[in-house]
Amino acid sequence: MKYNFKARLATINFVLFVMGGLIIFQVGRLQFSTSADANTLRTRIEKDYGERSEVIQPVRGQIYDRWGNLLAGNREMFELGVDLNQVRLAQNQDTIANVLAATLQLKPYDKPHDIDYYTNAFNGALANENSVYLMLENQVSPEQISQIEALVKQYSKNYDSKSKTPGKDTLAGLTWSPKLMRFYPEGDLAGNVLGFVTEFNGPFYGVEEKYNDLLSGVPLTTTVSYDPNKINNEQSIPHGADLVLTIDRDVQLAMEQILDQSVQDTGSEGGVIIVMDPRNGEILAMATNPRPNLNEFLTFVNNNKYFNPAIDKTYEPGSVFKLITMGAAIDVGAVTPDTPYFDQGYYYNGGITIRNWNGGAWYDQTMTTCMVHSLNVCLAEMAFEKLQQDRFYDYLNRFQFNRRTNIDLAGESMQRPPLPGDNGWYLATFLTQSFGQGIAVTPIQMTMAASSLANDGKMMAPRVVRSIIQDGIQYNTQEVVAGMPIKPETAKTMTEMMAVSVEDEASKAKSEHYRMAGKTGTASVVIDGQYSDSVTNTSFLGWGPVDDPRMLVYIWLEKPESSEWSSVVTAPVFKEVVEKLGVLLEIPPDDIRKQILAQN
């Protein structure tokens, strides 16, 4: 056979020409293809070369009370799912649905996951031919996984060894993988303070949201091989920071128990008790009713507008606000505790008539007895005639009612007071604000403002985080003086005046062991645009012992049914709180402290 050199050369040239054309075509296609972006090409190269990038999330930091009791931690849970390709092969979705419905007994949203739930999930996933995995449950406990493992072994006997195909009555394709999930061992204890983290690691409310960047830590991006035969280098990654709160678990529990019982006894819609150390702003307890069980947070957030009424719900506080008005008047020298006042039972000004809580006249009074008897007429006339409008609003700013307290919790709210020049502001607005109507505050705002009365004029910024532990090092937070709205001598004067008030007007608040200062507050509630004659908010603000204040207490019971008056509703609660705090905070009774001081 004659060798045809030219024909073979022509064939080679043709093949090379076609290959060159194909290469040029592919280059052009990649240049203009919508799928040829850098990320897609990088993914293809990584897969072809056997490696991929993976982001490793740190273990979330834990949250403790001031004594090291765990309030928020992590526990191992499992994600339960199925390999849809195996299910398609075995056609065993009905078996899996029946077994899971009978064994898991999960009740998210208060509805059990039954056979229909799993069947519908399978139908939707199997209808999509491209689906390869279906997640069935996201929070399966280790105990439940142990039961499922035993069932898988039992059902595996139904595997057809001849055809190498699992039958319909197997659990083939069922998979589970471990994961860490947020867990709150104390249930609803301080739930309103902590906030929560969803199953997809979204932080909401409270400490969890406010300190999320510290708690969640810094993710690590590493390279992982696709080849199962290669050993991947496991890189250690620091956990997120741990937090130690100012909250005292025992104090918090006691306040929640007292509050729950008080709400029940008085028929109130809800309530708040805040306990602060007025010397440094540390919140020892912040109890609310209702409050969330953080392990079932969806049930709560779906049924409640407010997560933490102590910081996110404003209301008209009533006569506890007279502390601000009187404190301002004494601070500027407009009045003294002994300044006389003749109460005729009404005060007409600004187009409205102000009357006292009982509608009567109290005749000869002083500023002290005006506070003792909580006389609206006295406070309104004194504010207009003595304190005067400009100085009143200056002190509202000094006490920072025009801003949030910036407590280190997510979700704080506020409502700026109506001011002169605002649309809808009238002289009557000023007069009613002087005794706590026509102005809305949060409990935490009133607590911060009152800290100046209990702390020689220094107003302490409230805080709930005491220290941050990161990389084995503890960083303590610092107390912050938010301002000094009144002089030290004004604070002492107001404390003595309000100690007399507790001993006389609010006698049900009087402690047997400690001399305390305090003020009741009863405020009418607006219903359908008008103030109700019978529905009220009742509050009590108190501090002490008066010679060395170590506790500042704010109580709010919302719309009580047992009585409309704070002297009846919240005064007894204050007494109970003080007696309990004396024991828990190890504060010696007044007589014992005097003996100790005398010996020293």
Side-chain angles (χ1 to χ4, degrees), residues 215-252:
L215 288 165
S216 60
V218 180
L220 174 68
T221 302
T222 186
T223 301
V224 179
S225 174
Y226 280 100
D227 189 345
N229 296 313
K230 289 185 178 181
I231 299 176
N232 294 309
N233 292 325
E234 294 187 1
Q235 300 187 42
S236 61
I237 178 171
H239 291 191
D242 294 332
L243 301 180
V244 178
L245 303 187
T246 63
I247 298 293
D248 183 315
R249 178 192 176 278
D250 293 337
V251 175
Q252 178 73 25

Side-chain angles (χ1 to χ4, degrees), residues 544-573:
V546 294
D547 59 335
D548 181 24
R550 292 180 54 189
M551 59 176 107
L552 172 61
V553 178
Y554 193 85
I555 302 169
W556 169 30
L557 291 179
E558 185 177 6
K559 302 176 183 177
E561 295 179 349
S562 60
S563 172
E564 61 186 285
W565 303 112
S566 178
S567 57
V568 177
V569 176
T570 59
V573 179

Side-chain angles (χ1 to χ4, degrees), residues 290-308:
R291 62 184 171 274
N293 182 331
L294 299 178
N295 297 312
E296 301 173 1
F297 56 82
L298 278 176
T299 302
F300 184 87
V301 297
N302 288 337
N303 295 301
N304 293 274
K305 181 179 179 181
Y306 301 98
F307 187 82
N308 185 0

Side-chain angles (χ1 to χ4, degrees), residues 123-403:
N123 291 339
L126 293 172
N128 185 349
E129 296 179 358
N130 296 320
S131 296
V132 295
Y133 176 78
L134 170 64
M135 185 189 75
L136 294 173
E137 302 291 355
N138 197 36
Q139 299 187 45
V140 183
S141 69
E143 294 77 16
Q144 291 170 318
I145 289 298
S146 297
Q147 297 176 11
I148 291 173
E149 284 180 325
L151 289 170
V152 169
K153 291 179 181 179
Q154 177 182 338
Y155 276 76
S156 65
K157 299 175 182 178
N158 298 320
Y159 184 83
D160 189 341
S161 58
K162 293 182 179 179
S163 64
K164 305 296 182 182
T165 301
K168 289 185 178 182
D169 55 349
T170 71
L171 297 178
L174 198 59
T175 65
W176 51 90
S177 57
K179 59 190 297 186
L180 285 179
M181 298 197 68
R182 206 57 162 166
F183 174 63
Y184 302 93
E186 299 282 358
D188 68 348
L189 182 79
N192 55 300
V193 175
L194 295 172
F196 59 86
V197 180
T198 68
E199 59 192 66
F200 302 107
N201 294 322
F204 293 92
Y205 303 106
V207 173
E208 293 278 28
E209 181 179 344
K210 187 71 174 181
Y211 287 88
N212 180 58
D213 289 345
L214 285 171
L215 288 165
S216 60
V218 180
L220 174 68
T221 302
T222 186
T223 301
V224 179
S225 174
Y226 280 100
D227 189 345
N229 296 313
K230 289 185 178 181
I231 299 176
N232 294 309
N233 292 325
E234 294 187 1
Q235 300 187 42
S236 61
I237 178 171
H239 291 191
D242 294 332
L243 301 180
V244 178
L245 303 187
T246 63
I247 298 293
D248 183 315
R249 178 192 176 278
D250 293 337
V251 175
Q252 178 73 25
L253 177 61
M255 295 306 104
E256 289 181 355
Q257 291 173 340
I258 292 173
L259 179 61
D260 292 348
Q261 190 63 50
S262 299
V263 168
Q264 179 179 329
D265 292 345
T266 62
S268 300
E269 286 189 3
V272 169
I273 296 179
I274 298 175
V275 179
M276 174 198 273
D277 186 334
R279 301 169 299 179
N280 53 29
E282 291 186 352
I283 301 297
L284 303 179
M286 183 180 283
T288 62
N289 179 300
R291 62 184 171 274
N293 182 331
L294 299 178
N295 297 312
E296 301 173 1
F297 56 82
L298 278 176
T299 302
F300 184 87
V301 297
N302 288 337
N303 295 301
N304 293 274
K305 181 179 179 181
Y306 301 98
F307 187 82
N308 185 0
I311 70 166
D312 65 18
K313 189 173 185 178
T314 60
Y315 79 111
E316 296 183 37
S319 294
V320 292
F321 202 80
K322 291 173 181 173
L323 292 169
I324 305 302
T325 305
M326 185 61 71
I330 290 177
D331 201 59
V332 299
V335 297
T336 69
D338 298 325
T339 297
Y341 175 75
F342 183 79
D343 178 67
Q344 56 186 344
Y346 67 91
Y347 175 61
Y348 181 81
N349 198 349
I352 63 169
T353 300
I354 306 295
R355 298 190 183 278
N356 291 318
W357 58 273
N358 66 344
W362 292 73
Y363 308 113
D364 291 322
Q365 299 292 317
T366 64
M367 291 298 107
T368 297
T369 58
C370 279
M371 293 294 286
V372 168
H373 302 308
S374 198
L375 303 182
N376 297 340
V377 173
C378 175
L379 267 290
E381 186 170 354
M382 182 275 291
F384 182 80
E385 301 288 349
K386 303 287 188 180
L387 176 58
Q388 300 177 354
Q389 178 178 301
D390 290 345
R391 292 192 294 196
F392 174 78
Y393 287 108
D394 175 53
Y395 272 83
L396 289 194
N397 291 336
R398 290 191 185 197
F399 283 105
Q400 299 189 14
F401 288 106
N402 59 341
R403 66 187 71 178

